[in-house]
Each structure stands twice: as C-alpha cells, then as structure tokens.
Amino acid sequence: MATGRTHRPATRSRGIPEATVARLPLYLRALTALSERSVPTVSSEELAAAAGVNSAKLRKDFSYLGSYGTRGVGYDVEYLVYQISRELGLTQDWPVVIVGIGNLGAALAGYGGFASRGFRVAALIDADPAMTGKPVAGIPVQHSDDLEKIIAEDGVSIGVIATPAGVAQAVCDRLVAAGVTSILNFAPTVLSVPDGVDVRKVDLSIELQILAFHEQRKAGEEPGDEQPAPPQAAAPVAPPVATRTTAEGGRKGPDGDVPAVMPA
C-alpha cells in the first residue's frame, strides 16, 4: 500500500471540523434518549451535560449545522435528531460486512444497535470452512473466498474487521480492492490504507490500559513506587591472611601460632 493514512484531513467538504463530527454521535445518543421520553425541547446546558461536553462547545458545534436554538426555549429535540442523523448519513441504508466471525465478530453480528442506526449487516465472512453456512445472529456465514462477490452484489462500502492481527492487513487490502472505502478495525494492529479510505480503530485492550493508568493515579501510586530499592553495597571483606599448618595442628600466622581449637 502506498500510504499509512488512517483518517481524513481536519475539515470536511462542508467545513465541519473533524472534532465536531466526532461529537455528533454523542449529541444524537443524548437526543434520542430525550425523544424516547417525549421531551420536546432541551437547553444547551442540559444537552451538553447529557453528552458530556461543555455548553459553549455544543453551541459552537451546532452552529456548523446552522442550528442555533431559540432563546428561552432551547433546541427542538426531534428536529435536531433529524438534522444530526442527516448530517451523519444515517437517513439512508448502509450495508456492512463483518469479516472474522470469532467471539467478537459473532457478538458484533448480534448487536441490535446497528439496525436501529441505519446499518444493515449484509454478510458475515470467515476463512474457516467449518463456519460456512453456520447461522450467527440469524445470518449464515459465508466463506472469505466470496468476499469480492459479496461486496459487489450488496453494494457494500463499510467493512468491519474482527480477525486476528496477523491477517487483518490482508483482509483490509481485499476489502479496499473490492471497493470498500470505510473500515472499522477491531484487530489489534494498525492498518495501512490508500487515500480516500477511512479507518476507525477500536482496541479494547488499549482502553483498559488507559483505565488502569487512571486507577493507579486514584490510588495515589506513582510509577516506580513498587520497584525494589537498589541493593546496598556490601561491607568490604578483609583480604585473606596467608597461613600454614604447624606440627601441633594449629596454624602459623604473621603473629605467631594459632591453636587448632580456641580456648572457651
């Protein structure tokens, strides 16, 4: 592959910063919860708290969408749900293939959140012949030999990689060559893709390591606290004194005869 690029530039064609795009799903999740409770309007402060951001940042993000709310009333919940869904491309159907149907791949196949957000699992693909035809989450697994055919027939543009790290790049290359332009990578490795292909990486072990870092700080420990103290220098040992055995069984030293048995 020509480059290791794994994301788009800082801004999109419509002038929305990438950081704002990354927060839009957070707003949508909070707004959807409000909508399910039949809440008609929400203030920027309330919505920001629900999304975990500050209200000034929220208002700035929404200004890119052309939505400024109404003073004293707030934002219309249903309209914002539609507006953000449209901006994220969730008002259309997105067929997705999942490659690698081990424990993680099977769990992803059964995740109900895909369909409710406009993502349709079009195919489950695995290289193990024993998996071919086996239903997972109601979808029969297909062999990886048919990957290119499946992508072409279903018009797939989004691929999910849940394979072991050692084969992830090869799977990625095949997906890209077949026309997939967006990849969600669960394999514990960095993928190299050409320009025009987006990769989002999800590494659960890294997230756990970050949490461990914070847990260590909460406990008041600092890196190296558990390290043993350096060993203290041993006391110098006097050089041995040359001696020879006497006829009486003692030793002859520089200060005279030393008995073989010292008196009590």
Side-chain angles (χ1 to χ4, degrees):
M1 283 295 178
T3 129
R5 179 177 175 272
T6 59
H7 55 80
R8 286 181 178 172
T11 59
R12 294 161 62 88
S13 59
R14 290 189 55 180
I16 302 179
E18 196 68 26
T20 295
V21 175
R23 287 188 289 269
L24 292 181
L26 304 179
Y27 302 139
L28 182 59
R29 181 175 61 188
L31 287 162
T32 301
L34 292 171
S35 176
E36 290 172 350
R37 301 203 311 267
S38 300
V39 176
T41 59
V42 63
S43 70
S44 59
E45 290 77 12
E46 291 169 333
L47 183 54
V53 302
N54 66 66
S55 57
K57 184 174 292 184
L58 177 144
R59 288 190 292 270
K60 180 67 173 177
D61 288 342
F62 283 2
S63 71
Y64 291 110
L65 306 180
S67 184
Y68 298 93
T70 304
R71 183 178 297 276
V73 177
Y75 294 93
D76 183 285
V77 170
E78 291 299 333
Y79 177 69
L80 266 184
V81 167
Y82 166 75
Q83 195 175 21
I84 294 176
S85 296
R86 183 183 61 182
E87 191 63 43
L88 289 173
L90 305 182
T91 55
Q92 57 183 299
D93 175 66
W94 292 104
V96 175
V97 295
I98 301 176
V99 184
I101 313 303
N103 291 334
L104 178 57
L108 292 171
Y111 175 54
F114 286 147
S116 64
R117 290 166 175 80
F119 300 98
R120 175 175 56 86
V121 178
L124 305 178
I125 301 172
D126 198 276
D128 184 359
M131 291 290 295
T132 302
K134 179 179 178 180
V136 175
I139 304 172
V141 176
Q142 302 182 64
H143 195 270
S144 57
D145 286 349
D146 297 324
L147 183 146
E148 288 80 6
K149 176 184 175 183
I150 293 166
I151 291 172
E153 289 180 347
D154 288 290
V156 174
S157 58
I158 299 177
V160 178
I161 296 178
T163 66
V167 299
Q169 184 63 58
V171 169
C172 173
D173 293 344
R174 289 184 63 188
L175 288 171
V176 171
V180 169
T181 52
S182 292
I183 294 173
L184 181 60
N185 178 33
F186 284 89
T189 187
V190 175
L191 299 176
S192 176
V193 297
D195 289 337
V197 176
D198 288 317
V199 175
R200 299 288 296 181
K201 180 170 175 54
V202 180
D203 193 319
L204 302 180
S205 64
I206 287 179
E207 299 303 323
L208 286 172
Q209 290 172 48
I210 293 171
L211 289 176
F213 169 86
H214 291 295
E215 283 300 312
Q216 177 177 254
R217 291 305 187 275
K218 291 174 191 174
E221 298 174 1
E222 292 294 334
D225 282 352
E226 303 82 10
Q227 295 180 2
Q232 295 181 349
V237 179
V241 178
T243 62
R244 61 184 175 82
T245 304
T246 66
E248 293 78 13
R251 289 178 291 129
K252 190 74 173 180
D255 298 323
D257 290 342
V258 180
V261 179
M262 297 294 289

